[in-house]
Amino acid sequence: MSRLAETLANIPLATLSIMIVCCVVYMYQFFVDPPMHHYTMCPRLVIYMSEYYRFITSSLFHGSIMHIGMNMMSTMAIGSSLEKRIGSLAMATTILWGIQLTSSIYTFISWLLYITIGYEHLMNQHSVGFSGVIFQLAVLEANLSPDRTRSVFGFVNVSSKMYPWALLVILQFIMPQISFLGHLSGILIGTMQSHGSLN
């Protein structure tokens, strides 16, 4: 058995399935080259044009080969660990709800900032990728982990529960072009879920 086949065989079903879906979607992007702005998350288009399909497409589409590569490696690591603890059915449900809820809270926060302080940038911003759901899964996995602390890129140790928050801040410094609100939305949904608020 090749190393790749062995690696894939060790990935639990729900995690492997969403990885396959994202990779198939990226192959569609690569060969067909559809206009990305039709599939991204854009709160203004969701709210005022009722383009609710963006809740789903924005999580499954990716901006580049490096983007999907990093996201799928993270999904494999975090998703596999979490799924082995909660089971494939619970994992599949968590992912499906996560896609909807992270997009919903992203849209809500963008709208709230717009109507309260007139901050319009997030309403018009286009974002894409599975990382919001990955942050949701990271929160759940960290809360279930027996490890009390984790290393953040080998620089500093933080408590397991603070690990997703540390990643949020550090990744934003390293790659300022990534969607801070998308990642924050995932953390908020994961936090609510881990505290039973979404049961």
Side-chain angles (χ1 to χ4, degrees), residues 69-102:
M70 291 177 64
N71 275 0
M72 292 306 99
M73 285 190 291
S74 298
T75 300
M76 181 174 66
I78 296 169
S80 295
S81 176
L82 179 61
E83 187 170 346
K84 287 171 183 175
R85 289 190 173 95
I86 68 174
S88 293
L89 181 58
M91 184 68 171
T93 303
T94 296
I95 291 172
L96 292 174
W97 272 112
I99 289 171
Q100 297 294 322
L101 294 175
T102 55

PDB file of all heavy atoms in Angstrom, residues 69-102:
ATOM      1  N   GLY A  69      -4.853  23.616  -0.401  1.00  0.00           N
ATOM      2  CA  GLY A  69      -3.889  22.693   0.175  1.00  0.00           C
ATOM      3  C   GLY A  69      -3.747  22.871   1.675  1.00  0.00           C
ATOM      4  O   GLY A  69      -3.804  21.903   2.449  1.00  0.00           O
ATOM      5  N   MET A  70      -3.592  24.124   2.106  1.00  0.00           N
ATOM      6  CA  MET A  70      -3.476  24.411   3.533  1.00  0.00           C
ATOM      7  C   MET A  70      -4.756  24.049   4.279  1.00  0.00           C
ATOM      8  O   MET A  70      -4.721  23.481   5.372  1.00  0.00           O
ATOM      9  CB  MET A  70      -3.136  25.883   3.745  1.00  0.00           C
ATOM     10  CG  MET A  70      -1.739  26.257   3.281  1.00  0.00           C
ATOM     11  SD  MET A  70      -1.379  28.011   3.443  1.00  0.00           S
ATOM     12  CE  MET A  70      -1.456  28.220   5.217  1.00  0.00           C
ATOM     13  N   ASN A  71      -5.895  24.385   3.678  1.00  0.00           N
ATOM     14  CA  ASN A  71      -7.170  24.088   4.340  1.00  0.00           C
ATOM     15  C   ASN A  71      -7.431  22.589   4.450  1.00  0.00           C
ATOM     16  O   ASN A  71      -7.942  22.110   5.464  1.00  0.00           O
ATOM     17  CB  ASN A  71      -8.328  24.770   3.608  1.00  0.00           C
ATOM     18  CG  ASN A  71      -8.530  26.209   4.053  1.00  0.00           C
ATOM     19  OD1 ASN A  71      -7.809  26.707   4.919  1.00  0.00           O
ATOM     20  ND2 ASN A  71      -9.493  26.884   3.475  1.00  0.00           N
ATOM     21  N   MET A  72      -7.085  21.835   3.413  1.00  0.00           N
ATOM     22  CA  MET A  72      -7.340  20.401   3.470  1.00  0.00           C
ATOM     23  C   MET A  72      -6.385  19.693   4.427  1.00  0.00           C
ATOM     24  O   MET A  72      -6.769  18.730   5.095  1.00  0.00           O
ATOM     25  CB  MET A  72      -7.253  19.789   2.065  1.00  0.00           C
ATOM     26  CG  MET A  72      -8.386  20.232   1.129  1.00  0.00           C
ATOM     27  SD  MET A  72     -10.057  19.939   1.801  1.00  0.00           S
ATOM     28  CE  MET A  72     -10.496  21.562   2.446  1.00  0.00           C
ATOM     29  N   MET A  73      -5.146  20.172   4.529  1.00  0.00           N
ATOM     30  CA  MET A  73      -4.226  19.588   5.509  1.00  0.00           C
ATOM     31  C   MET A  73      -4.718  19.864   6.932  1.00  0.00           C
ATOM     32  O   MET A  73      -4.663  18.992   7.802  1.00  0.00           O
ATOM     33  CB  MET A  73      -2.810  20.130   5.306  1.00  0.00           C
ATOM     34  CG  MET A  73      -2.107  19.537   4.097  1.00  0.00           C
ATOM     35  SD  MET A  73      -0.345  19.947   4.003  1.00  0.00           S
ATOM     36  CE  MET A  73      -0.424  21.695   3.649  1.00  0.00           C
ATOM     37  N   SER A  74      -5.223  21.069   7.138  1.00  0.00           N
ATOM     38  CA  SER A  74      -5.778  21.410   8.460  1.00  0.00           C
ATOM     39  C   SER A  74      -7.026  20.590   8.745  1.00  0.00           C
ATOM     40  O   SER A  74      -7.220  20.116   9.870  1.00  0.00           O
ATOM     41  CB  SER A  74      -6.097  22.903   8.522  1.00  0.00           C
ATOM     42  OG  SER A  74      -4.943  23.679   8.350  1.00  0.00           O
ATOM     43  N   THR A  75      -7.867  20.434   7.734  1.00  0.00           N
ATOM     44  CA  THR A  75      -9.087  19.636   7.895  1.00  0.00           C
ATOM     45  C   THR A  75      -8.739  18.197   8.235  1.00  0.00           C
ATOM     46  O   THR A  75      -9.362  17.585   9.118  1.00  0.00           O
ATOM     47  CB  THR A  75      -9.938  19.675   6.607  1.00  0.00           C
ATOM     48  OG1 THR A  75     -10.299  21.036   6.322  1.00  0.00           O
ATOM     49  CG2 THR A  75     -11.209  18.847   6.759  1.00  0.00           C
ATOM     50  N   MET A  76      -7.749  17.655   7.552  1.00  0.00           N
ATOM     51  CA  MET A  76      -7.341  16.276   7.802  1.00  0.00           C
ATOM     52  C   MET A  76      -6.862  16.098   9.242  1.00  0.00           C
ATOM     53  O   MET A  76      -7.269  15.158   9.928  1.00  0.00           O
ATOM     54  CB  MET A  76      -6.240  15.859   6.828  1.00  0.00           C
ATOM     55  CG  MET A  76      -5.769  14.430   7.011  1.00  0.00           C
ATOM     56  SD  MET A  76      -4.578  13.906   5.742  1.00  0.00           S
ATOM     57  CE  MET A  76      -3.195  14.980   6.115  1.00  0.00           C
ATOM     58  N   ALA A  77      -6.030  17.018   9.714  1.00  0.00           N
ATOM     59  CA  ALA A  77      -5.468  16.900  11.060  1.00  0.00           C
ATOM     60  C   ALA A  77      -6.522  17.122  12.135  1.00  0.00           C
ATOM     61  O   ALA A  77      -6.717  16.284  13.028  1.00  0.00           O
ATOM     62  CB  ALA A  77      -4.315  17.891  11.223  1.00  0.00           C
ATOM     63  N   ILE A  78      -7.219  18.247  12.050  1.00  0.00           N
ATOM     64  CA  ILE A  78      -8.197  18.603  13.091  1.00  0.00           C
ATOM     65  C   ILE A  78      -9.438  17.725  12.986  1.00  0.00           C
ATOM     66  O   ILE A  78      -9.947  17.220  13.991  1.00  0.00           O
ATOM     67  CB  ILE A  78      -8.567  20.094  12.976  1.00  0.00           C
ATOM     68  CG1 ILE A  78      -7.340  20.968  13.249  1.00  0.00           C
ATOM     69  CG2 ILE A  78      -9.698  20.449  13.936  1.00  0.00           C
ATOM     70  CD1 ILE A  78      -7.523  22.428  12.900  1.00  0.00           C
ATOM     71  N   GLY A  79      -9.924  17.553  11.758  1.00  0.00           N
ATOM     72  CA  GLY A  79     -11.136  16.768  11.557  1.00  0.00           C
ATOM     73  C   GLY A  79     -10.983  15.322  11.970  1.00  0.00           C
ATOM     74  O   GLY A  79     -11.861  14.746  12.608  1.00  0.00           O
ATOM     75  N   SER A  80      -9.842  14.723  11.619  1.00  0.00           N
ATOM     76  CA  SER A  80      -9.612  13.321  11.973  1.00  0.00           C
ATOM     77  C   SER A  80      -9.586  13.138  13.484  1.00  0.00           C
ATOM     78  O   SER A  80     -10.196  12.208  14.029  1.00  0.00           O
ATOM     79  CB  SER A  80      -8.294  12.831  11.364  1.00  0.00           C
ATOM     80  OG  SER A  80      -8.359  12.831   9.962  1.00  0.00           O
ATOM     81  N   SER A  81      -8.888  14.029  14.164  1.00  0.00           N
ATOM     82  CA  SER A  81      -8.797  13.946  15.624  1.00  0.00           C
ATOM     83  C   SER A  81     -10.164  14.097  16.279  1.00  0.00           C
ATOM     84  O   SER A  81     -10.535  13.329  17.181  1.00  0.00           O
ATOM     85  CB  SER A  81      -7.837  15.027  16.143  1.00  0.00           C
ATOM     86  OG  SER A  81      -7.803  15.024  17.546  1.00  0.00           O
ATOM     87  N   LEU A  82     -10.942  15.066  15.802  1.00  0.00           N
ATOM     88  CA  LEU A  82     -12.270  15.307  16.379  1.00  0.00           C
ATOM     89  C   LEU A  82     -13.231  14.168  16.063  1.00  0.00           C
ATOM     90  O   LEU A  82     -13.976  13.698  16.937  1.00  0.00           O
ATOM     91  CB  LEU A  82     -12.831  16.634  15.855  1.00  0.00           C
ATOM     92  CG  LEU A  82     -14.224  17.020  16.337  1.00  0.00           C
ATOM     93  CD1 LEU A  82     -14.254  17.171  17.859  1.00  0.00           C
ATOM     94  CD2 LEU A  82     -14.680  18.307  15.661  1.00  0.00           C
ATOM     95  N   GLU A  83     -13.211  13.711  14.818  1.00  0.00           N
ATOM     96  CA  GLU A  83     -14.156  12.665  14.407  1.00  0.00           C
ATOM     97  C   GLU A  83     -13.926  11.364  15.156  1.00  0.00           C
ATOM     98  O   GLU A  83     -14.884  10.631  15.463  1.00  0.00           O
ATOM     99  CB  GLU A  83     -14.063  12.433  12.894  1.00  0.00           C
ATOM    100  CG  GLU A  83     -15.120  11.485  12.360  1.00  0.00           C
ATOM    101  CD  GLU A  83     -15.185  11.442  10.852  1.00  0.00           C
ATOM    102  OE1 GLU A  83     -14.601  12.323  10.190  1.00  0.00           O
ATOM    103  OE2 GLU A  83     -15.826  10.507  10.321  1.00  0.00           O
ATOM    104  N   LYS A  84     -12.666  11.056  15.473  1.00  0.00           N
ATOM    105  CA  LYS A  84     -12.380   9.839  16.236  1.00  0.00           C
ATOM    106  C   LYS A  84     -12.941   9.918  17.659  1.00  0.00           C
ATOM    107  O   LYS A  84     -13.173   8.891  18.299  1.00  0.00           O
ATOM    108  CB  LYS A  84     -10.875   9.589  16.267  1.00  0.00           C
ATOM    109  CG  LYS A  84     -10.340   9.108  14.920  1.00  0.00           C
ATOM    110  CD  LYS A  84      -8.823   9.057  14.886  1.00  0.00           C
ATOM    111  CE  LYS A  84      -8.330   8.651  13.494  1.00  0.00           C
ATOM    112  NZ  LYS A  84      -6.858   8.698  13.368  1.00  0.00           N
ATOM    113  N   ARG A  85     -13.194  11.137  18.128  1.00  0.00           N
ATOM    114  CA  ARG A  85     -13.753  11.311  19.467  1.00  0.00           C
ATOM    115  C   ARG A  85     -15.277  11.342  19.463  1.00  0.00           C
ATOM    116  O   ARG A  85     -15.919  10.834  20.378  1.00  0.00           O
ATOM    117  CB  ARG A  85     -13.228  12.607  20.093  1.00  0.00           C
ATOM    118  CG  ARG A  85     -11.758  12.560  20.475  1.00  0.00           C
ATOM    119  CD  ARG A  85     -11.368  13.786  21.303  1.00  0.00           C
ATOM    120  NE  ARG A  85     -10.010  13.661  21.810  1.00  0.00           N
ATOM    121  CZ  ARG A  85      -8.942  14.171  21.213  1.00  0.00           C
ATOM    122  NH1 ARG A  85      -9.076  14.828  20.072  1.00  0.00           N
ATOM    123  NH2 ARG A  85      -7.736  14.011  21.737  1.00  0.00           N
ATOM    124  N   ILE A  86     -15.885  11.948  18.436  1.00  0.00           N
ATOM    125  CA  ILE A  86     -17.340  12.143  18.465  1.00  0.00           C
ATOM    126  C   ILE A  86     -18.095  11.229  17.514  1.00  0.00           C
ATOM    127  O   ILE A  86     -19.322  11.138  17.593  1.00  0.00           O
ATOM    128  CB  ILE A  86     -17.707  13.614  18.173  1.00  0.00           C
ATOM    129  CG1 ILE A  86     -17.379  14.001  16.721  1.00  0.00           C
ATOM    130  CG2 ILE A  86     -17.014  14.551  19.162  1.00  0.00           C
ATOM    131  CD1 ILE A  86     -17.848  15.405  16.328  1.00  0.00           C
ATOM    132  N   GLY A  87     -17.393  10.570  16.590  1.00  0.00           N
ATOM    133  CA  GLY A  87     -18.050   9.676  15.643  1.00  0.00           C
ATOM    134  C   GLY A  87     -18.374  10.360  14.325  1.00  0.00           C
ATOM    135  O   GLY A  87     -18.476  11.589  14.245  1.00  0.00           O
ATOM    136  N   SER A  88     -18.558   9.556  13.280  1.00  0.00           N
ATOM    137  CA  SER A  88     -18.741  10.088  11.919  1.00  0.00           C
ATOM    138  C   SER A  88     -20.071  10.796  11.732  1.00  0.00           C
ATOM    139  O   SER A  88     -20.140  11.824  11.045  1.00  0.00           O
ATOM    140  CB  SER A  88     -18.604   8.960  10.895  1.00  0.00           C
ATOM    141  OG  SER A  88     -17.277   8.473  10.875  1.00  0.00           O
ATOM    142  N   LEU A  89     -21.153  10.274  12.323  1.00  0.00           N
ATOM    143  CA  LEU A  89     -22.455  10.918  12.154  1.00  0.00           C
ATOM    144  C   LEU A  89     -22.469  12.298  12.798  1.00  0.00           C
ATOM    145  O   LEU A  89     -22.916  13.282  12.190  1.00  0.00           O
ATOM    146  CB  LEU A  89     -23.561  10.046  12.748  1.00  0.00           C
ATOM    147  CG  LEU A  89     -24.995  10.588  12.608  1.00  0.00           C
ATOM    148  CD1 LEU A  89     -25.336  10.803  11.133  1.00  0.00           C
ATOM    149  CD2 LEU A  89     -25.992   9.634  13.255  1.00  0.00           C
ATOM    150  N   ALA A  90     -21.967  12.384  14.028  1.00  0.00           N
ATOM    151  CA  ALA A  90     -21.904  13.679  14.711  1.00  0.00           C
ATOM    152  C   ALA A  90     -20.981  14.641  13.964  1.00  0.00           C
ATOM    153  O   ALA A  90     -21.257  15.844  13.882  1.00  0.00           O
ATOM    154  CB  ALA A  90     -21.433  13.495  16.146  1.00  0.00           C
ATOM    155  N   MET A  91     -19.903  14.116  13.404  1.00  0.00           N
ATOM    156  CA  MET A  91     -18.963  14.952  12.660  1.00  0.00           C
ATOM    157  C   MET A  91     -19.606  15.497  11.391  1.00  0.00           C
ATOM    158  O   MET A  91     -19.469  16.686  11.072  1.00  0.00           O
ATOM    159  CB  MET A  91     -17.716  14.145  12.313  1.00  0.00           C
ATOM    160  CG  MET A  91     -16.635  14.947  11.621  1.00  0.00           C
ATOM    161  SD  MET A  91     -15.914  16.176  12.717  1.00  0.00           S
ATOM    162  CE  MET A  91     -14.546  16.734  11.712  1.00  0.00           C
ATOM    163  N   ALA A  92     -20.310  14.642  10.668  1.00  0.00           N
ATOM    164  CA  ALA A  92     -20.979  15.080   9.442  1.00  0.00           C
ATOM    165  C   ALA A  92     -22.005  16.162   9.752  1.00  0.00           C
ATOM    166  O   ALA A  92     -22.092  17.178   9.045  1.00  0.00           O
ATOM    167  CB  ALA A  92     -21.649  13.886   8.760  1.00  0.00           C
ATOM    168  N   THR A  93     -22.769  15.963  10.819  1.00  0.00           N
ATOM    169  CA  THR A  93     -23.768  16.958  11.223  1.00  0.00           C
ATOM    170  C   THR A  93     -23.093  18.265  11.612  1.00  0.00           C
ATOM    171  O   THR A  93     -23.554  19.348  11.242  1.00  0.00           O
ATOM    172  CB  THR A  93     -24.593  16.428  12.409  1.00  0.00           C
ATOM    173  OG1 THR A  93     -25.193  15.183  12.034  1.00  0.00           O
ATOM    174  CG2 THR A  93     -25.686  17.407  12.801  1.00  0.00           C
ATOM    175  N   THR A  94     -21.994  18.158  12.345  1.00  0.00           N
ATOM    176  CA  THR A  94     -21.257  19.346  12.774  1.00  0.00           C
ATOM    177  C   THR A  94     -20.735  20.137  11.580  1.00  0.00           C
ATOM    178  O   THR A  94     -20.831  21.369  11.549  1.00  0.00           O
ATOM    179  CB  THR A  94     -20.073  18.930  13.680  1.00  0.00           C
ATOM    180  OG1 THR A  94     -20.591  18.325  14.868  1.00  0.00           O
ATOM    181  CG2 THR A  94     -19.224  20.125  14.057  1.00  0.00           C
ATOM    182  N   ILE A  95     -20.212  19.439  10.593  1.00  0.00           N
ATOM    183  CA  ILE A  95     -19.691  20.121   9.398  1.00  0.00           C
ATOM    184  C   ILE A  95     -20.811  20.795   8.624  1.00  0.00           C
ATOM    185  O   ILE A  95     -20.692  21.959   8.223  1.00  0.00           O
ATOM    186  CB  ILE A  95     -18.925  19.128   8.504  1.00  0.00           C
ATOM    187  CG1 ILE A  95     -17.622  18.696   9.174  1.00  0.00           C
ATOM    188  CG2 ILE A  95     -18.641  19.740   7.132  1.00  0.00           C
ATOM    189  CD1 ILE A  95     -16.895  17.567   8.464  1.00  0.00           C
ATOM    190  N   LEU A  96     -21.914  20.072   8.413  1.00  0.00           N
ATOM    191  CA  LEU A  96     -23.019  20.635   7.634  1.00  0.00           C
ATOM    192  C   LEU A  96     -23.615  21.856   8.317  1.00  0.00           C
ATOM    193  O   LEU A  96     -23.909  22.869   7.671  1.00  0.00           O
ATOM    194  CB  LEU A  96     -24.089  19.565   7.399  1.00  0.00           C
ATOM    195  CG  LEU A  96     -23.671  18.417   6.475  1.00  0.00           C
ATOM    196  CD1 LEU A  96     -24.747  17.343   6.429  1.00  0.00           C
ATOM    197  CD2 LEU A  96     -23.365  18.929   5.078  1.00  0.00           C
ATOM    198  N   TRP A  97     -23.820  21.752   9.635  1.00  0.00           N
ATOM    199  CA  TRP A  97     -24.317  22.905  10.381  1.00  0.00           C
ATOM    200  C   TRP A  97     -23.282  24.014  10.400  1.00  0.00           C
ATOM    201  O   TRP A  97     -23.615  25.204  10.332  1.00  0.00           O
ATOM    202  CB  TRP A  97     -24.717  22.510  11.804  1.00  0.00           C
ATOM    203  CG  TRP A  97     -26.123  22.038  11.913  1.00  0.00           C
ATOM    204  CD1 TRP A  97     -26.548  20.775  12.190  1.00  0.00           C
ATOM    205  CD2 TRP A  97     -27.314  22.820  11.726  1.00  0.00           C
ATOM    206  NE1 TRP A  97     -27.924  20.721  12.191  1.00  0.00           N
ATOM    207  CE2 TRP A  97     -28.415  21.957  11.910  1.00  0.00           C
ATOM    208  CE3 TRP A  97     -27.543  24.163  11.412  1.00  0.00           C
ATOM    209  CZ2 TRP A  97     -29.734  22.403  11.800  1.00  0.00           C
ATOM    210  CZ3 TRP A  97     -28.858  24.599  11.302  1.00  0.00           C
ATOM    211  CH2 TRP A  97     -29.940  23.730  11.495  1.00  0.00           C
ATOM    212  N   GLY A  98     -22.006  23.630  10.524  1.00  0.00           N
ATOM    213  CA  GLY A  98     -20.939  24.623  10.568  1.00  0.00           C
ATOM    214  C   GLY A  98     -20.884  25.479   9.319  1.00  0.00           C
ATOM    215  O   GLY A  98     -20.680  26.696   9.396  1.00  0.00           O
ATOM    216  N   ILE A  99     -21.063  24.858   8.164  1.00  0.00           N
ATOM    217  CA  ILE A  99     -21.064  25.612   6.907  1.00  0.00           C
ATOM    218  C   ILE A  99     -22.154  26.677   6.933  1.00  0.00           C
ATOM    219  O   ILE A  99     -21.931  27.834   6.562  1.00  0.00           O
ATOM    220  CB  ILE A  99     -21.249  24.655   5.711  1.00  0.00           C
ATOM    221  CG1 ILE A  99     -19.982  23.809   5.521  1.00  0.00           C
ATOM    222  CG2 ILE A  99     -21.582  25.427   4.439  1.00  0.00           C
ATOM    223  CD1 ILE A  99     -20.127  22.685   4.504  1.00  0.00           C
ATOM    224  N   GLN A 100     -23.338  26.296   7.378  1.00  0.00           N
ATOM    225  CA  GLN A 100     -24.460  27.234   7.424  1.00  0.00           C
ATOM    226  C   GLN A 100     -24.273  28.300   8.498  1.00  0.00           C
ATOM    227  O   GLN A 100     -24.479  29.498   8.255  1.00  0.00           O
ATOM    228  CB  GLN A 100     -25.764  26.469   7.696  1.00  0.00           C
ATOM    229  CG  GLN A 100     -26.155  25.481   6.625  1.00  0.00           C
ATOM    230  CD  GLN A 100     -26.512  26.167   5.318  1.00  0.00           C
ATOM    231  OE1 GLN A 100     -27.131  27.226   5.312  1.00  0.00           O
ATOM    232  NE2 GLN A 100     -26.112  25.590   4.207  1.00  0.00           N
ATOM    233  N   LEU A 101     -23.879  27.871   9.692  1.00  0.00           N
ATOM    234  CA  LEU A 101     -23.843  28.790  10.828  1.00  0.00           C
ATOM    235  C   LEU A 101     -22.675  29.766  10.776  1.00  0.00           C
ATOM    236  O   LEU A 101     -22.826  30.933  11.154  1.00  0.00           O
ATOM    237  CB  LEU A 101     -23.819  27.992  12.133  1.00  0.00           C
ATOM    238  CG  LEU A 101     -25.092  27.186  12.428  1.00  0.00           C
ATOM    239  CD1 LEU A 101     -24.915  26.336  13.679  1.00  0.00           C
ATOM    240  CD2 LEU A 101     -26.298  28.106  12.572  1.00  0.00           C
ATOM    241  N   THR A 102     -21.503  29.309  10.330  1.00  0.00           N
ATOM    242  CA  THR A 102     -20.386  30.248  10.230  1.00  0.00           C
ATOM    243  C   THR A 102     -20.683  31.334   9.196  1.00  0.00           C
ATOM    244  O   THR A 102     -20.375  32.512   9.412  1.00  0.00           O
ATOM    245  CB  THR A 102     -19.063  29.539   9.871  1.00  0.00           C
ATOM    246  OG1 THR A 102     -19.238  28.771   8.674  1.00  0.00           O
ATOM    247  CG2 THR A 102     -18.597  28.634  10.992  1.00  0.00           C
TER     248      THR A 102
END
